[in-house]
Amino acid sequence: RQACDIRTSRAMSRACCIGASIASSSFRPRVAEARRSASRSVRPRSSTRDDTAPEDADQGTTSASDLVELECAGVSVSCRGFVALLVRKGIGHEIPKPPNSVQLMRGADPASELPPDLAKEFVLPVLVTSGGDDDTNAATSARAQTMLQLLQNPPCDMGIQLPYTALGEVTKSADAVLGAVLIGKARFEDGSKKKFIWESTILAGKGMDQSAVDIDGDEHEAWQCLALARRYETYGCRVFATSEAIAGASGAKVFTGDSDDEAKVTLATVRTTFPKMQTVTESRAIATEAREKFLWRPFAAATSEDVPVAEEDDDGDDTNT
């Protein structure tokens, strides 16, 4: 397969079938590109590169073999804010359950039962809301609650925090469909535990007419991209990250406050790093139980009761029987 730069129109035509195959395109994060002075940047790929430049002049191109497909396996509050936990596609269900009361009493750790290869699997923590008083002990911000709603099956997509026109505003195409989100960087700035850096490229369009748009910024852009990916997941949208982005992910100490913890977050340590995390499966089970308790049961009880029927007498006045 011939590697090519996803910025070119030819690559975009091939990338429009990304739901079936990503192997025909390559992704190059814009590490060496000039950026605007503002912290947020949304721009078409073609506006940042001379497409007539020779292929070998494009340094740092990442081939399709270096892309890893991801899924959102869970979410959590943290001292930094609300975090989406991304793992390799297909292994989200392998996250160990939290210890029950008996295991806690015995000091047993369910993570110890993971096979060695799964225990070392990476977890990419992506900050999607900033801290402060929100999302440190509970998911109280509107964006955190929206993310929880979008993770339901089917998604509860209200279009409030994430307007239905959000993708069109980014791509300048009202009928565009999101095909993929390619993550080039998702970590806290070196030497800083406050500034989160997000660099990504989205592929969107209609039919064979696809385009690539760079979306750079912080946790706000990270939330937008992941929320859009969940909205369009039923249309075949997929999420990828470069090997470089995974290797450069922030370690556990950023989220735990333990300066001695230099380790990366893995399947075996994710519960320790994020003790209040919920997997997507757990979140959906909680939502299902809440609907049953607070919606369906009260509705069934209300409709099953005998309701007085209003009848009209001969004078036209209503009387209750």
Side-chain angles (χ1 to χ4, degrees), residues 276-321:
K276 294 185 177 182
M277 73 162 289
Q278 288 181 2
T279 65
V280 171
T281 301
E282 292 166 351
S283 176
R284 291 174 180 175
I286 292 172
T288 299
E289 182 180 356
R291 283 194 299 269
E292 179 71 20
K293 182 177 181 180
F294 298 109
L295 181 60
W296 304 129
R297 289 180 186 174
F299 178 78
T303 55
S304 65
E305 295 178 356
D306 293 332
V307 180
V309 179
E311 294 185 354
E312 195 174 275
D313 59 17
D314 294 338
D315 296 328
D317 297 330
D318 291 341
T319 58
N320 291 330
T321 59

Side-chain angles (χ1 to χ4, degrees), residues 6-286:
I6 63 169
R7 298 182 195 181
T8 65
S9 59
R10 182 176 302 174
M12 286 301 93
S13 296
R14 292 194 290 265
C16 71
C17 299
I18 195 167
S21 172
I22 190 65
S24 62
S25 63
S26 302
F27 171 57
R28 174 182 176 271
R30 305 135 334 278
V31 176
E33 292 178 9
R35 291 186 176 85
R36 300 191 316 199
S37 58
S39 61
R40 294 170 177 78
S41 175
V42 177
R43 57 184 180 268
R45 275 279 189 165
S46 58
S47 67
T48 61
R49 177 180 182 267
D50 181 7
D51 290 334
T52 62
E55 195 71 23
D56 56 3
D58 204 7
Q59 301 297 323
T61 298
T62 301
S63 66
S65 62
D66 291 327
L67 293 178
V68 180
E69 186 170 3
L70 307 178
E71 65 174 293
C72 183
V75 291
S76 179
V77 295
S78 73
C79 61
R80 304 300 170 195
F82 200 64
V83 180
L85 304 171
L86 307 184
V87 302
R88 191 186 305 272
K89 179 75 171 180
I91 67 168
H93 64 282
E94 300 287 356
I95 292 180
K97 296 181 179 180
N100 56 38
S101 56
V102 175
Q103 290 171 324
L104 287 173
M105 181 180 63
R106 295 178 177 177
D109 183 8
S112 62
E113 301 177 3
L114 283 173
D117 56 336
L118 282 176
K120 296 178 181 179
E121 277 286 346
F122 70 87
V123 175
L124 178 61
V126 178
L127 189 71
V128 292
T129 73
S130 56
D133 296 331
D134 295 333
D135 305 330
T136 54
N137 294 310
T140 57
S141 72
R143 288 195 167 189
Q145 293 179 13
T146 298
M147 182 63 72
L148 286 170
Q149 292 172 341
L150 289 171
L151 288 174
Q152 300 308 305
N153 190 24
C156 181
D157 192 351
M158 305 296 290
I160 300 174
Q161 291 297 315
L162 184 69
Y164 298 128
T165 58
L167 182 61
E169 293 172 358
V170 172
T171 62
K172 309 304 180 185
S173 175
D175 53 359
V177 174
L178 185 62
V181 175
L182 310 179
I183 302 172
K185 185 179 293 185
R187 62 176 176 82
F188 282 87
E189 189 176 40
D190 292 338
S192 173
K193 296 182 180 180
K194 295 183 178 181
K195 182 175 177 55
F196 185 77
I197 300 175
W198 172 265
E199 296 180 6
S200 66
T201 296
I202 64 170
L203 304 180
K206 183 179 179 181
M208 298 296 292
D209 184 14
Q210 298 288 303
S211 60
V213 179
D214 290 343
I215 300 182
D216 301 345
D218 51 26
E219 62 272 11
H220 301 288
E221 284 67 36
W223 178 88
Q224 181 187 39
C225 288
L226 295 184
L228 282 171
R230 178 55 188 161
R231 168 178 288 174
Y232 289 94
E233 184 175 321
T234 55
Y235 298 92
C237 180
R238 298 160 71 184
V239 179
F240 298 86
T242 63
S243 299
E244 182 182 359
I246 295 170
S250 298
K253 67 178 182 180
V254 177
F255 303 97
T256 62
D258 184 359
S259 58
D260 296 329
D261 190 356
E262 297 289 346
K264 299 290 185 179
V265 185
T266 64
L267 285 190
T269 63
V270 65
R271 291 279 186 186
T272 305
T273 306
F274 301 98
K276 294 185 177 182
M277 73 162 289
Q278 288 181 2
T279 65
V280 171
T281 301
E282 292 166 351
S283 176
R284 291 174 180 175
I286 292 172

